[in-house]
Amino acid sequence: MAGKRHRGWRTFLTNKYLKDKEKNFVEYDPEYPVKYAIFITEEEWVAFVAQRRDENFKKVSATNRERASNPTYAYKKGRLGYARLEEKILDETKSDATSLPPHVLWKEARVGKDGTVRDDVQHIYDECETLSQSISTAEDQENRSVLSRALNVPEYPGRVRGKGHGCTPTSLYKNPRRRNPSNQEVMETLQALQAQVLQLQKDNERYRCMEKCSSQLKETSEKASINCQNKFPEGISSCQLYLSSPTYRLVGKGKVHNTSGDLLHHRPLPDGHLKVSVDVVLDKEALLPIPDIVSETTLLRDAIGSFVAWPLDLIFIDDETPTKPASKDQGILRHNESVASQKEVFAQGSQQLSQKIGSRQKNKRDLPVTSLPKKRAFVPRYQISLETLVDSSDMATAGAIRLLDMEEDIFGYSCTETIGKEDLEHIFRHQELGVGVIHTYIRFLYDNFMRGNDQLSNRFRFVSSSLVNKALICRELDSCREYLVKRFMASSTNNLYLWPYNSGCHWLLLAIDPLKEVVYFLNSIDGEWTNYPDMKQLVDTSIKVFRSQRQARVPRTKSSNITWIKVQCPLQRNGIDCGYFVMRFMREIINMNQIDIPITYFDEYKCAHYTRLQLEQIKEELCQYFIEKRLLSI
């Protein structure tokens, strides 16, 4: 306040002694104001006159005068300051709050007597509402306020924009004063940093040893970017991924890209490594052999859907068997071994059955297609037919793929889904499913239930797991949020968006009603949504941005109350079935044709666990769809 009064007094001296009646600077030297001699010495007066007559000062003064005469967002409350305006609003609304957000007060100060709000002022307010959902309070206090960000202007120290004179960041936010750390705290911090440096040195040494061992086993080319290896089939092949520390074990599955001149994130691959795309994670705590510097990813489960570098001696094509001897210290982990054993038994029976039927049907062009058998005499006929078809086609070779077009109405954009031999084998052997199989079943639901049925197609929509998943949320959060908001904006009435979400090593289903702001959470392992904070924050923020863009008015007390409902759905009894459960959840929700999902699930499908037959029916539908679409031919 004292600074404001001082500036006003200097302006008064300029207008009275240095300018004429037309507000132009006089050419003669002004007289020394004797009446203010107690405040101003003759030397200070001479310096003051010279400073005011300086051309740079006149230029800055004219610019500021012109800007003040025509402000972009004019203040329309006259002599009523921000403080009294805030008190007036709080009294009229009878609110228990002690203050208003700066952008709310800023908007109210620019409402005229007629009560109308200019479009540009409303636009700034809406942008502030959107930013307030994504910027934390700490970031708001320590950097730039939401209002400053929306206006795209700097925040000057010692004041809070939109709060008037006398309000400072310290008085508004009540930040505690920072104190210097004690010697003990400094020593504890130093010891923690030394421990981290020591651990990083150990990890670096381990990585160097692994690279050295890999380079001794396999020859590499003179350039790291030319890395085609004779051990692997040239091109793209399905593979199993192993780690050798702390135990030798299978940790995931994916595809190895053995291509000459291949790069990883525009950089040459390290010696003794190949580029691998991760599809399935079996050990959720497994570390990447080489952390991804670009995305700052260290865990294998966070690399699903992306490319990483993997040591040559720890990659095995699906038809290979690891030759690493099992010992007491370096053996396959028991829980992974038991799961693998179960899969091998089921796969052997499936292969034997397909060989018997394949010998009889190998030369036939049209395979018999029958309806689902009765429960007591179930035979996976479509699976057997499709497996025979795979063995008789080019899909029997590693790296062969089929393309399935996905229409724009399914995910909000047109795309092509890639189906590989390993995707089909996951179905035949009842293994963990990748995103390609999940999306193919969504296409099946769209073609067989929703196409031509306006009621279902206008009520149910899908969210692409390829554009929104755990890995992309960590790396490209903004693009994930933009896609969800754009998807929600396509709804004119109440729609239920079905989103199969991959958390890294597990599938679950979210059913989102953005207009009602309700999220149904269906998890086949009885987990809570709080176990997935990144996913929950993305959904909440997307719904709030969607609310702002459609200019919905929500009471301030309910502005953050997005309803999450945990549905008591059937639960799986192993670590494999989550993908099959998600597909059956989507089928049953669409079949019931209800936007509101009961907390205890639908009575028609209520059960503690799905039977093997119920899951086999889903697989039969998938295999029948592959055959009917004629994606394979002999």
Side-chain angles (χ1 to χ4, degrees):
M1 186 61 69
K4 183 180 179 182
R5 294 291 180 86
H6 183 248
R7 288 193 299 273
W9 185 56
R10 290 167 68 90
T11 302
F12 163 75
L13 292 176
T14 302
N15 294 332
K16 183 173 180 60
Y17 295 97
L18 303 186
K19 294 182 179 181
D20 55 19
K21 294 181 180 181
E22 285 75 23
K23 300 300 181 181
N24 298 320
F25 279 90
V26 296
E27 296 181 358
Y28 56 85
D29 293 335
E31 297 181 0
Y32 171 65
V34 181
K35 62 185 298 184
Y36 299 119
I38 190 174
F39 303 115
I40 308 173
T41 64
E42 292 186 6
E43 292 79 5
E44 291 174 341
W45 176 252
V46 172
F48 172 75
V49 172
Q51 185 258 345
R52 292 287 164 150
R53 286 181 169 179
D54 184 72
E55 293 300 327
N56 291 332
F57 176 83
K58 291 181 180 180
K59 184 177 179 180
V60 173
S61 179
T63 302
N64 292 337
R65 189 181 305 108
E66 182 180 359
R67 183 176 59 186
S69 63
N70 187 24
T72 306
Y73 308 101
Y75 183 88
K76 296 188 176 182
K77 295 303 179 181
R79 298 180 63 85
L80 184 67
Y82 278 102
R84 284 184 289 177
L85 175 62
E86 186 175 41
E87 292 178 1
K88 179 181 178 182
I89 296 174
L90 294 175
D91 291 340
E92 291 177 351
T93 58
K94 297 181 180 180
S95 175
D96 295 333
T98 58
S99 63
L100 296 174
H103 65 279
V104 175
L105 193 58
W106 179 87
K107 173 190 173 183
E108 293 297 331
R110 281 147 185 84
V111 178
K113 294 181 179 179
D114 56 355
T116 59
V117 183
R118 285 171 43 185
D119 293 339
D120 53 351
V121 172
Q122 182 65 41
H123 174 71
I124 295 296
Y125 174 80
D126 292 338
E127 188 171 353
C128 289
E129 285 288 305
T130 302
L131 289 173
S132 63
Q133 308 297 336
S134 58
I135 299 178
S136 63
T137 304
E139 186 180 2
D140 187 9
Q141 297 174 15
E142 296 177 1
N143 199 349
R144 296 170 59 195
S145 66
V146 169
L147 182 57
S148 297
R149 293 170 187 267
L151 293 172
N152 194 23
V153 294
E155 186 66 276
Y156 299 103
R159 76 169 194 183
V160 178
R161 186 177 296 276
K163 280 293 186 178
H165 295 284
C167 183
T168 63
T170 303
S171 63
L172 180 63
Y173 301 118
K174 296 181 174 57
N175 290 332
R177 292 186 177 181
R178 298 181 179 178
R179 63 178 184 84
N180 295 328
S182 63
N183 292 338
Q184 182 179 358
E185 292 174 341
V186 172
M187 293 302 299
E188 291 176 354
T189 304
L190 181 60
Q191 292 175 0
L193 291 175
Q194 289 175 345
Q196 292 179 10
V197 171
L198 182 61
Q199 184 63 36
L200 289 175
Q201 290 175 346
K202 292 181 179 179
D203 293 341
N204 187 34
E205 185 66 25
R206 180 165 61 90
Y207 295 144
R208 289 179 179 273
C209 291
M210 293 178 64
E211 290 182 4
K212 184 177 180 180
C213 293
S214 300
S215 61
Q216 291 175 353
L217 290 172
K218 296 296 171 186
E219 261 183 52
T220 56
S221 61
E222 295 180 358
K223 292 185 178 180
S225 59
I226 309 300
N227 48 26
C228 192
Q229 300 293 328
N230 296 328
K231 173 183 175 181
F232 304 99
E234 187 173 356
I236 304 175
S237 307
S238 299
C239 65
Q240 300 177 357
L241 305 176
Y242 282 75
L243 286 180
S244 59
S245 177
T247 57
Y248 192 85
R249 67 200 189 280
L250 174 66
V251 295
K253 297 183 178 182
K255 299 181 184 67
V256 58
H257 296 251
N258 188 29
T259 307
S260 179
D262 211 351
L263 301 175
L264 180 64
H265 303 311
H266 307 289
R267 297 181 179 181
L269 283 164
D271 291 345
H273 291 69
L274 281 178
K275 186 168 77 171
V276 170
S277 59
V278 182
D279 295 333
V280 178
V281 174
L282 301 178
D283 185 354
K284 64 180 181 180
E285 302 300 331
L287 295 173
L288 290 174
I290 297 181
D292 190 345
I293 301 177
V294 176
S295 60
E296 298 182 354
T297 302
T298 58
L299 293 175
L300 179 62
R301 68 188 183 198
D302 294 334
I304 287 182
S306 61
F307 295 98
V308 296
W310 208 272
L312 293 173
D313 58 329
L314 297 177
I315 303 174
F316 294 90
I317 303 302
D318 272 348
D319 56 0
E320 294 182 356
T321 302
T323 57
K324 182 78 175 180
S327 63
K328 183 176 180 180
D329 296 329
Q330 292 184 335
I332 298 177
L333 295 180
R334 297 304 303 170
H335 69 275
N336 286 334
E337 181 182 6
S338 60
V339 172
S341 301
Q342 295 174 4
K343 297 175 186 175
E344 291 172 1
V345 171
F346 185 81
Q348 291 173 1
S350 174
Q351 290 176 352
Q352 293 174 1
L353 194 55
S354 65
Q355 290 173 359
K356 293 179 181 179
I357 295 185
S359 62
R360 297 196 300 268
Q361 298 180 345
K362 186 173 183 180
N363 297 324
K364 294 185 179 181
R365 301 289 294 180
D366 299 325
L367 297 176
V369 178
T370 58
S371 59
L372 282 175
K374 295 182 180 179
K375 180 178 178 181
R376 293 186 179 180
F378 178 75
V379 177
R381 297 183 181 180
Y382 285 114
Q383 298 178 51
I384 295 172
S385 299
L386 183 61
E387 191 168 3
T388 304
L389 199 57
V390 170
D391 293 337
S392 304
S393 68
D394 63 323
M395 288 290 284
T397 61
I401 61 173
R402 290 293 187 270
L403 301 179
L404 180 64
D405 292 332
M406 307 295 286
E407 302 175 16
E408 183 177 356
D409 291 340
I410 300 177
F411 293 130
Y413 68 102
S414 58
C415 60
T416 302
E417 194 62 53
T418 303
I419 306 298
K421 176 187 177 183
E422 69 282 355
D423 294 316
L424 300 177
E425 289 181 345
H426 292 164
I427 302 174
F428 301 149
R429 301 178 183 179
H430 198 82
Q431 296 177 344
E432 297 90 342
L433 300 180
V435 66
V437 176
I438 301 294
H439 280 186
T440 301
Y441 191 75
I442 289 178
R443 173 67 189 271
F444 160 78
L445 293 175
Y446 181 80
D447 286 345
N448 289 272
F449 290 85
M450 302 169 64
R451 188 185 298 277
N453 188 330
D454 293 338
Q455 184 182 17
L456 289 179
S457 60
N458 292 331
R459 178 168 290 184
F460 298 101
R461 301 175 187 268
F462 299 99
V463 174
S464 172
S465 301
S466 297
L467 291 188
V468 191
N469 53 51
K470 170 68 175 179
L472 288 177
I473 292 175
C474 295
R475 296 199 307 265
E476 303 175 13
L477 178 61
D478 291 340
S479 63
C480 293
R481 182 172 57 248
E482 290 175 2
Y483 169 68
L484 283 181
V485 173
K486 182 179 179 181
R487 199 77 183 101
F488 295 160
M489 290 296 291
S491 59
S492 57
T493 58
N494 283 99
N495 297 120
L496 197 65
Y497 288 81
L498 303 179
W499 173 22
Y501 174 72
N502 193 316
S503 65
C505 55
H506 175 63
W507 287 100
L508 55 88
L509 180 66
L510 296 179
I512 307 173
D513 187 343
L515 285 178
K516 290 184 179 179
E517 299 188 353
V518 175
V519 182
Y520 298 97
F521 180 78
L522 292 86
N523 192 353
S524 58
I525 59 173
D526 197 27
E528 301 291 339
W529 60 72
T530 53
N531 297 333
Y532 311 95
D534 296 336
M535 174 269 293
K536 183 180 184 302
Q537 183 180 9
L538 171 64
V539 174
D540 289 346
T541 304
S542 300
I543 292 178
K544 291 176 182 178
V545 175
F546 167 67
R547 176 203 302 164
S548 175
Q549 290 192 4
R550 64 188 180 91
Q551 297 183 353
R553 299 302 178 186
V554 179
R556 187 170 300 277
T557 56
K558 298 182 179 180
S559 60
S560 59
N561 291 346
I562 295 175
T563 304
W564 282 72
I565 299 176
K566 179 182 178 181
V567 180
Q568 299 175 16
C569 54
L571 303 179
Q572 65 188 77
R573 289 179 285 192
N574 56 30
I576 299 175
D577 289 343
C578 56
Y580 304 96
F581 272 63
V582 165
M583 292 191 293
R584 189 165 182 94
F585 289 156
M586 292 190 293
R587 190 190 195 283
E588 292 171 350
I589 291 172
I590 295 175
N591 191 49
M592 292 304 299
N593 194 12
Q594 294 183 21
I595 293 290
D596 300 324
I597 303 177
I599 297 180
T600 57
Y601 207 52
F602 303 110
D603 292 336
E604 291 81 350
Y605 299 107
K606 188 180 297 184
C607 59
H609 312 281
Y610 284 139
T611 63
R612 186 59 179 268
L613 175 61
Q614 290 174 304
L615 300 184
E616 289 293 337
Q617 289 175 346
I618 299 295
K619 294 165 62 177
E620 283 287 271
E621 289 177 336
L622 261 174
C623 294
Q624 181 182 5
Y625 186 68
F626 278 115
I627 295 174
E628 291 178 348
K629 294 294 290 185
R630 297 192 176 276
L631 294 177
L632 301 172
S633 59
I634 300 176

